[in-house]
Amino acid sequence: MSADVETAGPQFHPMEQFTVEPLFGGHAINWYTPTNVTLWMGFAVLAIILLLVIGTRRRAIIPNRTQSVAELAYGFVYSMVEDVAGKDGLKYFPYIMTLFIFIVFSNFLGLIPMSFSTTSHIAVTVIMALAVFISVTAIGFYKHGIGFLGLFWVSSAPLALRPVLAVIEVISYFVRPVSHSIRLAGNVMAGHAVIEVFAVFVGMSLFIAPLALVGIVGMFAMDVLVAFIQAYVFTILTCVYLKDALHPAH
Amino acid sequence: MATEAHQVAGEMAPEAAGMPQLDFSTFPNQIFWLVITLIVIYLVLSRTALPRIASVLSERQGTITNDITAAEELKQKAQDAEDAYNKALAEARAEAGRIAAETKAEIQAELDVAISKADAEIAAKTAEAEKAIAVIRAGSVDSIKAVAKDTAKEIVSVMGIKADAKTITAAVTARMKG
């Protein structure tokens, strides 16, 4: 099929934008090689510092716009952690804030044309999801000991059903990091790939171009939404998992 | 061997390029830089950004609370001042009423004294006048008696009848009494 497309004319390479490349030439990608991943993660760090550190440097009682946005982001995540995970979840607020702010900035930086979306890579999201999964499980066992397993023992269900439910609960517990990570990477990747496909259509013919342009604009608008919503979803799921670890009783 | 694997991946990349996400040769690189990035972000947030924003927010909350308290205090003060003003006004009004009543009473008393004095004087003068009138009246009765006796004497003498003075006098006196 790919050979067919190549001979037909327009080249579809919607996934090429996700290629990890060394920044300074060469092909070898060792674990330490500075790549476009490094570059765009660096930009994310810079943007975060710009917003949350430089933007709040005046410590104004009456904030300017940048400081307002920084306070808004802080309040958004803070109240999310407090509402979902409870007061004792606030201890982990800096970690959750780190995840949220990194994902949000990576997603939005990825929307810049010709940029590289770090959050479109499974490697990135899996590590974050695993970090959440492992630390939440560790917190659960540290706080409740063996009682944390009560999370899988649905005491409100009839006794006969409980073993069956326990199996389902255990499976769903271990599926968490998978869905947690693939949801984010998949959404970001799909949006970018579709835009790329539309972009190829624009170059194809004069009749399709306007339609494809409208498609790009619409897709881009949706990706802006997705960029925020997926960061929000990732964060709130983290809070929910944290709540399960802090209060495992059903 | 590792370089060989990379070369193979590099050769495959251009044509296959199915899913760069599943190119496991880039995973160590991505994971390494992700961990670095997350650590840097965490340090920046927990050392600088979050405490700063938290302090700004609590400071603002404190300022707002203080301002509200101050406003309540000022309102209370204004209320007190108004109350004091109203009280002073009421007192002044009561004082003015009292002074007016006192003055009125004083004037009334003086007036009463003056009136009674005047009444007494009038009464005295009236009595004097009555006495004077009585004297005059008595005087006039005597004069009339004398005139009547004289007139009677003359009339009697003119009529040619000799009559002694005593009889005439007695007759006139008797007549006048009657």
Side-chain angles (χ1 to χ4, degrees):
Chain A
M1 190 190 137
S2 67
D4 195 37
V5 170
E6 268 170 35
T7 50
Q11 304 272 324
F12 285 93
H13 293 300
M15 307 309 273
E16 214 175 71
Q17 56 179 324
F18 303 118
T19 315
V20 177
E21 290 159 340
L23 274 184
F24 307 109
H27 286 294
I29 298 176
N30 295 311
W31 59 269
Y32 53 83
T33 314
T35 54
N36 44 3
V37 178
T38 321
L39 180 70
W40 288 95
M41 282 185 182
F43 281 148
V45 171
L46 279 183
I48 289 164
I49 290 175
L50 209 63
L51 175 67
L52 294 182
V53 178
I54 311 290
T56 58
R57 73 185 184 287
R58 282 172 52 245
R59 298 163 185 265
I61 291 293
I62 298 159
N64 57 13
R65 283 180 198 188
T66 321
Q67 195 184 325
S68 284
V69 173
E71 286 169 6
L72 215 63
Y74 179 97
F76 179 71
V77 179
Y78 191 90
S79 60
M80 196 197 305
V81 175
E82 194 176 15
D83 293 346
V84 178
K87 283 249 180 266
D88 40 357
L90 287 176
K91 213 166 74 180
Y92 309 100
F93 166 64
Y95 300 98
I96 295 171
M97 182 74 181
T98 302
L99 285 178
F100 174 77
I101 209 82
F102 169 71
I103 296 171
V104 144
F105 271 96
S106 298
N107 285 354
F108 277 107
L109 285 172
L111 284 173
I112 298 170
M114 309 307 291
S115 72
F116 174 80
S117 283
T118 49
T119 39
S120 70
H121 275 265
I122 307 254
V124 171
T125 57
V126 157
I127 290 301
M128 290 193 291
L130 272 181
V132 169
F133 179 76
I134 291 168
S135 43
V136 156
T137 310
I139 290 168
F141 277 113
Y142 177 76
K143 290 241 171 196
H144 305 282
I146 205 75
F148 179 59
L149 293 176
L151 179 64
F152 307 116
W153 197 249
V154 188
S155 49
S156 58
L159 193 61
L161 273 177
R162 284 183 206 170
V164 184
L165 284 176
V167 172
I168 296 173
E169 288 283 330
V170 169
I171 292 173
S172 77
Y173 189 81
F174 280 95
V175 168
R176 275 177 181 183
V178 179
S179 63
H180 202 189
S181 58
I182 290 184
R183 182 181 298 113
L184 173 59
N187 271 287
V188 175
M189 185 184 76
H192 285 63
V194 170
I195 288 181
E196 188 75 28
V197 170
F198 274 127
V200 175
F201 276 127
V202 171
M204 236 165 67
S205 113
L206 208 61
F207 301 106
I208 302 176
L211 208 66
L213 265 177
V214 171
I216 289 180
V217 172
M219 233 15 243
F220 194 88
M222 210 187 81
D223 274 359
V224 170
L225 270 181
V226 165
F228 178 77
I229 288 170
Q230 286 308 319
Y232 173 72
V233 167
F234 193 96
T235 318
I236 205 159
L237 281 176
T238 305
C239 293
V240 170
Y241 299 160
L242 182 61
K243 189 208 80 182
D244 280 348
L246 295 173
H247 316 281
H250 268 279
Chain B
M1 223 172 106
T3 46
E4 223 175 81
H6 280 304
Q7 273 172 358
V8 170
E11 277 164 23
M12 276 172 67
E15 53 145 337
M19 288 265 284
Q21 281 87 351
L22 298 180
D23 180 0
F24 293 100
S25 67
T26 65
F27 272 34
N29 182 270
Q30 294 194 56
I31 291 166
F32 170 69
W33 289 113
L34 172 70
V35 170
I36 297 279
T37 305
L38 288 181
I39 288 171
V40 169
I41 293 174
Y42 174 74
L43 288 179
V44 167
L45 289 191
S46 61
R47 292 286 155 84
T48 315
L50 298 185
R52 184 186 291 175
I53 295 173
S55 77
V56 167
L57 289 180
S58 67
E59 202 178 310
R60 178 175 311 143
Q61 197 55 51
T63 309
I64 290 171
T65 314
N66 283 347
D67 284 359
I68 288 173
T69 320
E72 300 247 310
E73 256 170 38
L74 288 177
K75 198 181 163 195
Q76 190 57 46
K77 270 185 194 166
Q79 191 71 46
D80 289 351
E82 202 193 334
D83 287 351
Y85 167 76
N86 281 339
K87 205 175 149 202
L89 198 66
E91 267 171 19
R93 216 167 253 159
E95 182 74 10
R98 198 179 55 73
I99 289 171
E102 255 175 31
T103 315
K104 209 174 172 186
E106 258 171 37
I107 289 170
Q108 192 62 51
E110 274 173 20
L111 203 61
D112 285 352
V113 170
I115 286 172
S116 58
K117 211 169 145 192
D119 279 351
E121 265 172 28
I122 289 167
K125 285 227 171 111
T126 311
E128 250 169 47
E130 270 172 4
K131 216 190 268 173
I133 289 168
V135 169
I136 290 165
R137 190 177 278 161
S140 70
V141 168
D142 283 352
S143 307
I144 288 166
K145 270 184 191 167
V147 168
K149 279 174 199 165
D150 287 351
T151 313
K153 266 181 208 165
E154 284 304 311
I155 292 167
V156 168
S157 70
V158 165
M159 286 169 79
I161 303 163
K162 276 283 241 206
D164 68 320
K166 266 192 188 165
T167 317
I168 291 168
T169 309
V172 168
T173 310
R175 239 343 132 127
M176 282 185 74
K177 270 183 188 164

